[in-house]
Amino acid sequence: MRQPQPFSRSLRLKGRPRARSMRSYAPAASWILIAPAMAILAIGFLYPLLRLIMLSLSAGPSATYGRLLREPLYATVLASSVVTAVSVTFACTVLGYPVALAMARLRKRAAALTTACVLIPLWTSVLIRSYAWIVLLQRNGLINSVLISEGLTQGPIKLLYTQGAVIVAMTHVLLPFAILPIFSTLRAVPNDYVRAAHSLGAGKIKAFFLVTLPLSLPGVFAGAILCFVLALGFYITPALVGGPESMMMASLIGQQTTVLLDWPFAAALSTVLLAITLLIVVAFRKSLSFSKGLSSVY
Amino acid sequence: MFIDQSPRLPALPVSAGRYERAAPLRLRRLAALLGSGLIVGTVLFFLVLPTLLIVPMSLSQTDYLQFPPRGLTVDWYRRFFSDADWMAATWFSFKIAIATTLSATVVGTMTSLALVRGNLPFRNTLLAMSLGPMIVPHIVLGVALYLVFSPLQLTGSFTGFLVAHTVLAVPYVVITVSASLQRFDPTLELAALSCGANRAQAFFRIVLPNIAPGIFAASVFAFLASFDEATVAFFISDINGKSIGRKMFEDIDFNLTPVIAAASTTFVGLSLLLMALAHAFGQPNDGR
Amino acid sequence: MIGQALTLSRLRKSYGDIVAVNETDLEIDAGEFVSIVGPSGSGKTSLLTLIAGFEPPSSGAIRIGDKDITYLPPYLRDIGMVFQKYALFPHLTVRQNIAFPLKMRRRAAKSTIAARVEEMLELVQLPQHGDRYPSQLSGGQQQRVAVARALVFDPPVILMDEPLGALDKKLREVMQIEIKRIQERLGATVIYVTHDQEEALTLSDRVAVMHQGSLQQIGTPAELYRRPSSAFVADFIGAMNFVPGILVGGEPGKHVIQVAEGIVLKATSGGRLAIPSKGSAVCLAIRPEHIKLAPRTGKAAGMLAGAVEASIFVGPTQIVLVRPEALPGIVLRVQMPADQIAGLERGALVAVAFDEAMLQAFPARERLAA
């Protein structure tokens, strides 16, 4: 005879032939979990974008998109936006790589300090950082005072409201977005590979160019695309530190909506910017694994 | 050739030659180290300096922006905290940020569970959709939201901001929580089931405590994503409801005074505090 | 005794075209310790997954005692499980980990639970470690906690999925004895999955061998060793020599097989499969300890002659590798007492004699499949 089992539950006799794998949540449960996000994205994301596209077509495409093609100003602005975005992307990648390498290779304390230096600006308002650049670059700002007191220039130089100011400030704002994806691929490169390269006779520099750099290229690429896409549609920083000659797509949209109040045309410009952005993201979706890098934000 | 040369290579000169080369090599290595340290240091300086500069600015006695500042005063802070416009914008944004944090964290965590542990068709499409607001230029979204909100009189309203900022904050939550869910060993959930816990018990007692650090960090990001947001806020603010982002943008554009520096310093301090909290509580509690 | 019988009938699991578990019947008695062995990918872990309830079977039934649990969710099955990497809850202390199954059942009062947890800590010899976190324990200690957590609610059936796989050899042997001790003391029904056949033979009342999703044979360690039902089992359990040959005569159960020109051996039928007809290819199997070697000088007819290729010291016995002249490509592994190896050093010429009572014949195709 079996002894009584105080802790064991009595087994239920009725089976449920609809049983399923316990390794993932059932489709119904999954849909319930994702439903709120999809609802709010439908209301606050997809529907507004749809309305925007519809508005851009409301007055007839020739009035909006036709005008975009007819007037050379808009091609100039688009070109200048691309030039700025490319410059910023290049600067972010070149400046970001050594920092990412330091984050991945330095010892615990130093790496943590470096990481903090990258994360603090990332989570500081873009407004505040743009403001800081105004303070630095204005006529009587820090940079001009230093230049004058060192006797390098006679009077203050115009630094603010220039293309250069836009590129410098945007590089500052977007640098963490380049650093983090590079960092996460570099961290994934096993140190053994580098050691193996050393043991096979490669010097430090050779080992870097033959092993570390090629293995981290996906991160460099992801960071560069992220930077480019964000730079292309950036509004705040160019609006605050840029001048009229450094007009970018976003500033143009802002001008149409706040000054000229031409909403259908602003919608058309927005649609073009949206289309370019989505094209880039879709074209490079393989290398832009979204969660890469940004998950190491904290 | 070989035989001819070998007698000319006595042992001592070879080792002496090596020794001679050693010093420059070490120097070169040191120079390389210093050089790379200098590069990294300069970039880090470039990253951090502008933000740090705001602090002395906010304490300067002069009422126009000047550097280096002359004299010390907390007057700008007093003005910031006593100005009705600044305070209204700050509280409005604060309320929105708190509500956004709650909604985005809950919605984003549920989405991460569905995407990482769920069983869904078109998983990649759904993932792209929930991360979309991060990629779409904020000015485009700002214009689009204004078009929808304006006729509904949602501009400048708490509800309007809550919807807009939740949309913007969800991607950060999804990325952060998904990462910690992927680090979570699903065998632990099976272990809980075999211990007699049902699905809900297994989630709340085993999964949730283990991903809680990630959720906490995600909620900090959601808060900052809302509180620091300026572009969309620029479009969906109005005279009655102005977020701190819109208020600061206007002041920087038209009315550049050290009050902005005082406000900025306050907010950077708040961000740093939250980041420190996320770091402190963002670690798993497993006795290590 | 806490254990109950477990019955699998015609249990099958397939993922699309891939059959993970193929029509398996298995009856395990209450309190029995059964190991499931097989190479990786043989379906042993899939079988365990079905019993635990993590995946539903495609067809068939699972019963504990006289209750059908085939479609019960895992949390209603009352099966204790020890996982490969322990799967201890990292955010709970040892005590909380062990108490977890009891808390989920909400049957017992708090004080009963506390007393029961202490009892389990004693049983697995960790009474001082109750307040530690899993990360503060060694691998062996974590393993003990995992066992305690699986046992604490007196489950009628306990599943162990390679529980010692992550431990080093010394610790593994200690833990084997430990697990066996606890199992015997509680009278628990244990199903133990391992890829280590030696571990299975040490621990189990019976061993089940799986191959390609099918149960090949189940029996006591001695049965599996002496009477393997297929060439695969013969090969998988213990060391085995295989020699190909042609069936030339004999009667059912007593075969006459020619292995080389002029060399004919008598063998019994190995396994369940009947050897087909005269002239078909077979394969002979014999254990290393059932081959005798003697030094030779000349060459006699009907005798298998060979040369010693290597002689390996393994403690009380010696392994001698012999290459028979008549069987190209085959090296026989012979195990003999260490005091009988005089004259059998490397290169020595030897006469090989099989203990014909221990010689078993399997269909040749089966050997190829293995």
Side-chain angles (χ1 to χ4, degrees):
Chain A
M1 277 310 289
R2 254 186 349 98
Q3 282 171 6
Q5 294 177 22
F7 296 108
S8 223
R9 271 190 294 215
S10 60
L11 295 168
R12 234 198 259 165
L13 273 167
K14 272 190 187 165
R16 288 183 307 175
R18 285 183 296 117
R20 55 176 307 283
S21 170
M22 290 286 145
R23 294 184 197 278
S24 60
Y25 297 153
S30 310
W31 281 115
I32 291 170
L33 283 170
I34 207 168
M38 290 303 127
I40 200 150
L41 286 168
I43 296 169
F45 183 59
L46 287 187
Y47 174 66
L49 291 180
L50 206 67
R51 279 293 299 272
L52 180 90
I53 296 165
M54 277 157 61
L55 180 70
S56 75
L57 297 167
S58 61
S62 76
T64 49
Y65 294 101
R67 187 171 144 204
L68 263 173
L69 293 173
R70 276 193 304 275
E71 292 180 32
L73 167 72
Y74 304 115
T76 316
V77 171
L78 181 61
S80 129
S81 304
V82 170
V83 168
T84 309
V86 167
S87 317
V88 169
T89 304
F90 180 76
C92 283
T93 312
V94 170
L95 294 179
Y97 199 96
V99 177
L101 194 63
M103 277 166 75
R105 288 289 154 79
L106 282 178
R107 252 159 254 199
K108 239 183 161 189
R109 273 254 166 112
L113 188 71
T114 313
T115 310
C117 287
V118 175
L119 295 188
I120 288 168
L122 180 65
W123 292 107
T124 305
S125 160
V126 173
L127 272 169
I128 294 174
R129 287 188 281 163
S130 306
Y131 167 69
W133 281 105
I134 293 175
V135 172
L136 271 170
L137 297 175
Q138 65 188 332
R139 279 183 73 80
N140 52 357
L142 182 62
I143 289 174
N144 265 325
S145 343
V146 170
L147 289 178
I148 293 166
S149 70
E150 293 294 315
L152 290 170
T153 56
Q154 297 295 308
I157 338 170
K158 189 188 176 192
L159 297 169
L160 197 57
Y161 310 126
T162 61
Q163 175 101 11
V166 172
I167 292 173
V168 169
M170 274 175 59
T171 302
H172 176 240
V173 167
L174 296 177
L175 199 47
F177 291 98
I179 293 173
L180 291 172
I182 302 174
F183 165 65
S184 74
T185 47
L186 277 175
R187 195 177 46 173
V189 175
N191 226 343
D192 290 354
Y193 287 11
V194 181
R195 264 188 232 126
H198 284 316
S199 78
L200 294 172
K204 275 216 158 118
I205 293 167
K206 227 177 188 175
F208 173 77
F209 281 104
L210 291 177
V211 179
T212 312
L213 185 63
L215 285 172
S216 65
L217 279 181
V220 174
F221 205 56
I225 292 164
L226 199 61
C227 274
F228 182 80
V229 162
L230 291 175
L232 199 63
F234 223 85
Y235 179 57
I236 300 285
T237 305
L240 290 177
V241 306
E245 86 275 16
S246 57
M247 175 89 82
M248 289 188 60
M249 285 287 278
S251 316
L252 189 64
I253 297 169
Q255 196 189 48
Q256 293 296 327
T257 54
T258 53
V259 184
L260 304 170
L261 302 178
D262 188 347
W263 286 91
F265 189 58
L269 288 168
S270 300
T271 307
V272 170
L273 181 57
L274 178 68
I276 295 172
T277 308
L278 290 183
L279 267 176
I280 295 170
V281 171
V282 170
F284 296 107
R285 66 185 181 285
K286 284 257 158 59
S287 46
L288 249 190
S289 124
F290 287 101
S291 49
K292 194 185 285 172
L294 289 176
S295 59
S296 55
V297 160
Y298 67 101
Chain B
M1 265 298 263
F2 180 71
I3 299 165
D4 203 350
Q5 268 190 350
S6 55
R8 279 194 236 151
L9 293 167
L12 204 71
V14 170
S15 67
R18 251 184 217 161
Y19 192 71
E20 269 165 37
R21 257 186 290 136
L25 195 70
R26 204 174 293 161
L27 267 180
R28 235 164 58 194
R29 210 168 265 175
L30 194 70
L33 202 71
L34 276 177
S36 50
L38 204 67
I39 295 171
V40 173
T42 310
V43 179
L44 292 181
F45 189 69
F46 170 72
L47 270 171
V48 175
L49 177 80
T51 321
L52 291 183
L53 268 182
I54 298 162
V55 181
M57 288 293 315
S58 70
L59 296 167
S60 155
Q61 257 171 12
T62 45
D63 64 346
Y64 56 94
L65 287 170
Q66 190 191 18
F67 209 93
R70 289 197 197 117
L72 276 180
T73 175
V74 291
D75 207 37
W76 305 116
Y77 286 90
R78 199 173 302 136
R79 278 222 225 157
F80 167 62
F81 283 108
S82 61
D83 185 294
D85 275 4
W86 276 109
M87 280 300 106
T90 305
W91 282 118
F92 186 56
S93 278
F94 194 74
K95 278 191 288 185
I96 293 162
I98 292 287
T100 301
T101 305
L102 286 175
S103 66
T105 306
V106 172
V107 169
T109 301
M110 288 169 71
T111 309
S112 307
L113 284 169
L115 290 172
V116 178
R117 301 300 316 281
N119 197 328
L120 289 169
F122 320 114
R123 198 185 147 272
N124 283 338
T125 312
L126 292 168
L127 176 69
M129 165 103 171
S130 38
L131 298 182
M134 215 171 74
I135 288 299
V136 167
H138 283 190
I139 182 135
V140 174
L141 197 55
V143 172
L145 281 166
Y146 177 83
L147 293 176
V148 173
F149 284 180
S150 183
L152 299 170
Q153 269 146 23
L154 282 173
T155 50
S157 77
F158 177 81
T159 318
F161 268 99
L162 179 59
V163 170
H165 280 183
T166 302
V167 165
L168 289 171
V170 159
Y172 291 101
V173 178
V174 170
I175 285 176
T176 315
V177 176
S178 295
S180 63
L181 265 176
Q182 267 150 2
R183 280 195 296 266
F184 175 77
D185 178 7
T187 316
L188 291 181
E189 203 177 353
L190 296 183
L193 295 174
S194 83
C195 282
N198 62 32
R199 266 258 127 93
Q201 287 171 319
F203 176 75
F204 285 107
R205 284 171 175 267
I206 304 301
V207 183
L208 195 59
N210 279 290
I211 63 167
I215 295 177
F216 180 77
S219 71
V220 168
F221 298 153
F223 181 90
L224 292 174
S226 166
F227 196 79
D228 288 347
E229 203 285 318
T231 313
V232 172
F234 180 85
F235 285 92
I236 62 172
S237 288
D238 65 13
I239 311 145
N240 303 318
K242 198 184 277 183
S243 82
I244 191 68
R246 169 76 187 231
K247 167 75 180 154
M248 281 185 81
F249 188 93
E250 286 173 0
D251 275 52
I252 294 169
D253 220 10
F254 307 121
N255 189 21
L256 209 56
T257 69
V259 177
I260 304 165
S264 299
T265 308
T266 310
F267 299 144
V268 170
L270 180 73
S271 295
L272 287 182
L273 186 73
L274 286 173
M275 289 307 294
L277 281 177
H279 186 73
F281 294 101
Q283 314 292 335
N285 167 35
D286 57 3
R288 248 173 294 201
Chain C
M1 181 160 111
I2 61 168
Q4 289 188 40
L6 177 81
T7 314
L8 310 182
S9 25
R10 302 187 67 80
L11 198 63
R12 184 172 183 283
K13 176 70 180 178
S14 58
Y15 299 92
D17 288 342
I18 301 151
V19 178
V21 175
N22 193 11
E23 301 280 327
T24 298
D25 287 297
L26 183 59
E27 277 179 43
I28 295 169
D29 293 335
E32 197 180 13
F33 195 120
V34 172
S35 287
I36 301 176
V37 295
S40 56
S42 59
K44 53 192 196 302
T45 297
S46 297
L47 187 63
L48 209 64
T49 303
L50 296 181
I51 302 170
F54 300 147
E55 297 279 347
S58 305
S59 61
I62 308 166
R63 301 161 78 80
I64 290 180
D66 50 6
K67 286 149 197 156
D68 188 336
I69 61 157
T70 315
Y71 297 107
L72 275 186
Y75 48 91
L76 295 176
R77 293 192 176 201
D78 272 336
I79 289 177
M81 175 130 185
V82 180
F83 291 83
Q84 202 161 15
K85 282 175 188 144
Y86 324 131
L88 297 176
F89 306 130
H91 61 298
L92 301 180
T93 62
V94 167
R95 206 168 260 128
Q96 289 167 328
N97 262 285
I98 299 175
F100 190 79
L102 299 179
K103 286 207 179 117
M104 290 303 104
R105 285 171 169 77
R106 291 204 199 110
R107 275 283 174 83
K110 252 194 176 150
S111 57
T112 322
I113 291 180
R116 176 72 180 161
V117 169
E118 293 311 312
E119 200 182 306
M120 291 314 294
L121 282 171
E122 291 287 344
L123 183 73
V124 298
Q125 299 175 347
L126 288 173
Q128 309 301 322
H129 296 73
D131 292 324
R132 303 238 183 124
Y133 284 93
S135 61
Q136 296 167 326
L137 301 180
S138 69
Q141 290 170 330
Q142 292 188 42
Q143 216 283 330
R144 286 160 200 258
V145 178
V147 169
R149 188 180 66 182
L151 288 170
V152 69
F153 57 99
D154 286 345
V157 172
I158 295 158
L159 307 178
M160 297 194 180
D161 185 10
E162 308 219 10
L164 305 181
L167 303 180
D168 61 55
K169 194 170 182 292
K170 266 268 151 50
L171 194 52
R172 206 155 63 217
E173 281 163 6
V174 174
M175 288 308 298
Q176 284 172 7
I177 296 165
E178 195 78 334
I179 287 175
K180 189 68 186 164
R181 173 181 71 84
I182 295 170
Q183 182 261 335
E184 280 176 347
R185 191 167 138 196
L186 300 176
T189 305
V190 172
I191 299 172
Y192 190 100
V193 164
T194 178
H195 64 268
D196 180 349
Q197 46 107 0
E198 218 172 293
E199 187 169 282
L201 297 179
T202 313
L203 287 170
S204 320
D205 299 319
R206 283 193 297 161
V207 177
V209 183
M210 282 193 84
H211 180 51
Q212 294 176 341
S214 298
L215 203 58
Q216 297 279 312
Q217 186 177 5
I218 178 160
T220 64
E223 277 169 13
L224 289 184
Y225 192 81
R226 295 201 189 113
R227 304 297 307 168
S229 68
S230 66
F232 175 79
V233 176
D235 196 19
F236 193 77
I237 302 288
M240 184 67 92
N241 293 294
F242 288 97
V243 178
I246 307 283
L247 186 71
V248 291
E251 57 203 64
K254 287 272 180 196
H255 306 292
V256 178
I257 289 140
Q258 184 180 5
V259 293
E261 190 65 40
I263 298 170
V264 172
L265 297 167
K266 290 195 188 72
T268 57
S269 277
R272 297 158 295 192
L273 296 168
I275 304 275
S277 53
K278 223 179 254 185
S280 62
V282 294
C283 117
L284 292 172
I286 189 154
R287 298 278 177 204
E289 63 271 27
H290 297 141
I291 303 178
K292 294 276 179 293
L293 299 178
R296 73 176 161 97
T297 43
K299 188 173 176 180
M303 182 188 78
L304 207 52
V308 174
E309 181 137 304
S311 185
I312 304 155
F313 172 77
V314 287
T317 59
Q318 190 88 2
I319 301 288
V320 182
L321 300 181
V322 176
R323 196 179 276 281
E325 284 159 19
L327 305 171
I330 285 187
V331 175
L332 293 173
R333 185 187 174 91
V334 182
Q335 187 173 10
M336 51 203 312
D339 54 0
Q340 292 175 19
I341 56 156
L344 297 177
E345 27 313 284
R346 196 178 153 189
L349 299 179
V350 291
V352 181
F354 294 122
D355 181 347
E356 283 185 329
M358 296 298 170
L359 203 53
Q360 297 176 56
F362 295 97
R365 226 181 299 120
E366 207 182 306
R367 166 68 184 148
L368 283 175

